Amino acid sequence: MIILTLFLEFCKTGLFAIGGGLATLPFLAELTEKYNWFTTGQLADMVAISESTPGAIGINMSTYAGYHAAGILGGVAATLALTFPSIVIIIIVARMLEKFNENKYVVSVFGVLRPVVVGLIAAAGYQIFKVSIIHVDAFIQNKSLGTLFDIKAGLLFLVLFAAIMKFQKHPIIYIGIGAVAGILLQM
Amino acid sequence: MRVVWELYAAFFRIGLMTFGGGYAMLPMLQSEIVEKRGWATEEEVLNYFAVGQCTPGIIAVNTATFVGYKQKRIIGGVLATLGVITPSIIIILVIAGILDRYAENVWVAHAFAGVRVAVCALVLSSIIKLWKSGVKNTAGILLFLAAFVLVAFVELSSVWIVIGAIALGILLQIRQNKRSGKQEEKEGDSSI
């Protein structure tokens, strides 16, 4: 039963995640609220591992998320489900139009969709931010500012962000630095 | 039949050697598909990428389906796609199995707390990059803010936001068509 639910949810993700890369993130973030498959914190771990291993990020994240929900079979089902709508759509598009991406309606839809997708990814990023650096939920519970800001995490974030913007190296390097810093700072 | 398995094998290699997907796949596609096998021209690969970006799903998958379909129709499209996702499935399942076993370990927990911070920084830098290419004017900023607020604070599903954006894009184009239609009529009238 859970496999069927997984399959349908990841078909939905495959159908609505447009633009590649992190476009699957908002849909996976939504799943954390709807089911007990994985937490937002685990979602952040999945981003890290998906960026540090071969393969497309969206595919890697789906395999990982499916595995967390329902083991190996779940990982396979989620990944196949994610690709299913794409295969059908691409085969239709390949058959129908050569100049799909020059169609006036497609161009117009993408003019709207592009900034909207950035907004969706930002909203998913904000959710991960909330569990990793500022602990909004804990703050609401005990109203102490000390719990709102994790000073170590905040500083590490600023240093890493500055380094990413300056050096533009492969994500795996910053993920490695994050792991070492986490151990050294006892985060 | 041989071509079909070759499609699977070639895309398996591409999936295995690509870190990050999307445009990171381009160099591997050029060597495996264009240069080694001549399954597509350089230009065709770029076209597949462009269409892959305007259709749902992962760009790597969309491109694999395109190349496979062109060679061997539906069976080719399906096997090329399975090829590109197989390495991910194997690698991620192995890593997930190992990591979950050590999730309770204190050192692993500390490491992942640090990794999550790095992920926040990486996601923010991706958003900035996407912002530069996708948010170009006031309308773009408003659309970005609307999507962000509706999902982060109103907790509307991203599915509705995407459907809404597609509908808005179509409506804008219909309005544009009507306008240019009227203009042509006027121009026609004055010329008579």
Side-chain angles (χ1 to χ4, degrees), chain A residues 86-87 90-92 94-95, chain B residues 1-12 14 25 29 32-34 37-41 44-45 48-49 59-84:
Chain A
S86 304
I87 297 185
I90 292 293
I91 287 175
I92 294 169
R95 215 174 254 205
Chain B
M1 215 48 211
R2 246 202 60 196
V3 176
V4 172
W5 287 112
E6 215 179 302
L7 273 168
Y8 181 86
F11 276 96
F12 186 98
I14 293 170
M25 210 172 78
L29 275 175
E32 291 282 327
I33 304 302
V34 180
R37 296 186 175 81
W39 281 339
T41 64
E44 276 174 316
V45 168
Y48 297 155
F49 259 75
I59 296 168
V61 168
N62 295 352
T63 311
T65 311
F66 257 125
V67 175
Y69 181 81
K70 195 188 155 208
Q71 290 306 312
K72 283 280 158 205
R73 303 283 117 181
I74 292 174
I75 180 85
V78 170
L79 275 177
T81 307
L82 289 178
V84 86

Side-chain angles (χ1 to χ4, degrees), chain A residues 57 64 115 117 130 136 146 154 178:
Chain A
I57 295 167
Y64 207 141
V117 169
K130 269 199 308 193
V136 176

Side-chain angles (χ1 to χ4, degrees), chain B residues 2 12 17 47 51 99 104 106 118 120 122 155 159 181 185:
Chain B
R2 246 202 60 196
F12 186 98
M17 306 301 256
N47 283 345
V51 178
L99 279 181
E104 305 290 311
V106 186
C120 286
L122 286 168
E155 298 189 2
V159 170
E185 260 174 46

